[in-house]
Amino acid sequence: MTWYNDKDMNQDIVKNIDSVQRRIVKACAASGRNPDEVKLLLATKTVPVARIKVALEAGYTLIAENKIQELKEKFEGLKELLHVNHFIGHLQSNKIKEVLKYDVTCIQSLDRYDLAEKLHHRLLLEGRQMEVFIQVNTSYEESKYGVSPNDVLALVEKVSKLNTIRIKGLMTIGMLSNKAEKVRKCFRLLKEIQQKIISNNFDHVNMHELSMGMSGDMEIAIEEGATMIRIGTAIFGNRPTPDSFYWDENNRV
């Protein structure tokens, strides 16, 4: 029997989700927020279908993948279970057709206009719309994807004119640092950008969502206004591949 079918390991997933929920409640209490304002998104990269099913069957149905290949591999195994699937990894324009094929309802990693334009044309062909978040590189790290903070407003304005794409908010990956203030600076900047976009009152733009915070920095993200946290390790355990693999510019799988 493989490790992901082990009964005790599967029970741990539900316990871990409960633990994360308690962390959310505690962080919200510390920052004067309502826990209902924070959505828990399960980051399922490298997680086998059997273990994802445990979370879905427990009622936690908002999940996300980083790689098109994993979307494809897990699609058949999950399609009969109620869930909402976001895409949070770097998206190459030649993979747009595939990401739409596998029932993704929101792309959280839109970071350039040429990608938005190609997505728009594909959506027109399919007669549908797509929700997106604009990904912002708030840490200014070359190894990370995301539009520069200085260019976000211009990108939002241009994308807002594409009537198949509905901008729902912003996404960022905080700096990987043990220094809380460096991480906090990233999340605070995303909140500031959100407020600037709101003040510009662009047509067809909804800026209610801030997707930021992962297993190690979710409390800071919540304190700075996150409405969605992307949690993987704290629920499913450590992965065989480090998180940096999933946003390094050299890994375009």
Side-chain angles (χ1 to χ4, degrees), residues 66-67 90 135 141-145 173 176 242-253:
N66 284 67
K67 302 278 184 181
H90 177 68
Q135 182 176 356
E141 294 172 281
E142 292 184 4
S143 62
K144 288 185 183 168
Y145 298 108
I173 299 167
L176 292 178
D243 280 348
S244 58
F245 176 84
Y246 294 92
W247 55 77
D248 193 301
E249 289 281 354
N250 296 315
N251 296 311
R252 295 176 176 269
V253 180

Side-chain angles (χ1 to χ4, degrees), residues 48-63:
V49 166
R51 287 174 64 77
I52 298 172
K53 283 183 175 180
V54 174
L56 297 182
E57 289 167 353
Y60 296 92
T61 56
L62 180 59
I63 65 175

Side-chain angles (χ1 to χ4, degrees), residues 19-236:
S19 177
V20 169
Q21 293 283 31
R22 289 193 295 272
R23 287 174 65 184
I24 292 172
V25 170
K26 186 175 180 180
C28 286
S31 53
R33 297 187 62 193
N34 184 338
D36 292 339
E37 297 174 359
V38 183
K39 301 179 184 71
L40 173 58
L41 180 148
L42 308 187
T44 53
K45 60 192 179 190
T46 76
V47 180
V49 166
R51 287 174 64 77
I52 298 172
K53 283 183 175 180
V54 174
L56 297 182
E57 289 167 353
Y60 296 92
T61 56
L62 180 59
I63 65 175
E65 288 291 346
N66 284 67
K67 302 278 184 181
I68 300 295
Q69 185 61 30
E70 286 199 61
L71 273 175
K72 181 178 180 179
E73 291 171 353
K74 299 173 188 179
F75 179 73
E76 288 296 326
L78 296 176
K79 69 178 184 179
E80 300 300 326
L81 290 173
L82 177 66
H83 67 285
V84 176
N85 208 342
H86 286 202
F87 187 75
I88 57 176
H90 177 68
L91 181 60
Q92 294 173 265
S93 58
N94 64 350
K95 299 292 185 179
I96 288 173
K97 186 176 179 179
E98 287 189 78
V99 82
L100 296 180
K101 179 179 179 181
Y102 296 111
D103 290 343
V104 168
T105 62
C106 179
I107 296 170
Q108 292 201 17
S109 50
L110 187 68
D111 61 359
R112 56 203 189 278
Y113 184 71
D114 69 307
L115 177 65
E117 197 170 34
K118 289 173 182 175
L119 175 62
H120 169 64
H121 289 310
R122 187 68 212 180
L123 290 167
L124 282 175
L125 286 174
E126 297 190 10
R128 57 186 288 196
Q129 295 184 327
M130 173 65 70
E131 294 182 350
V132 304
F133 292 4
I134 303 298
Q135 182 176 356
V136 186
N137 186 352
T138 54
S139 63
Y140 296 93
E141 294 172 281
E142 292 184 4
S143 62
K144 288 185 183 168
Y145 298 108
V147 61
S148 166
N150 294 332
D151 298 328
V152 178
L153 265 69
L155 178 61
V156 168
E157 184 174 18
K158 288 182 72 175
V159 174
S160 71
K161 301 182 189 309
L162 302 175
N163 61 12
T164 62
I165 297 176
R166 294 178 288 170
I167 300 175
K168 306 296 288 185
L170 305 174
M171 186 269 267
T172 198
I173 299 167
M175 182 179 289
L176 292 178
S177 172
N178 292 325
K179 296 182 179 179
E181 284 310 308
K182 286 188 175 182
V183 180
R184 187 180 301 279
K185 186 176 180 180
C186 298
F187 299 148
R188 188 168 289 166
L189 176 57
L190 197 71
K191 181 68 175 181
E192 291 172 359
I193 294 169
Q194 177 200 40
Q195 296 307 305
K196 288 180 181 177
I197 295 171
I198 290 173
S199 68
N200 274 269
N201 197 29
F202 295 123
D203 290 336
H204 314 300
V205 174
N206 181 329
M207 268 292 126
H208 290 167
E209 299 284 5
L210 288 181
S211 174
M212 58 188 191
M214 298 187 293
S215 295
D217 56 20
M218 56 175 281
E219 284 85 359
I220 300 172
I222 290 171
E223 290 169 7
E224 296 302 326
T227 65
M228 185 178 294
I229 54 172
R230 308 181 303 275
I231 308 299
T233 300
I235 292 172
F236 298 108

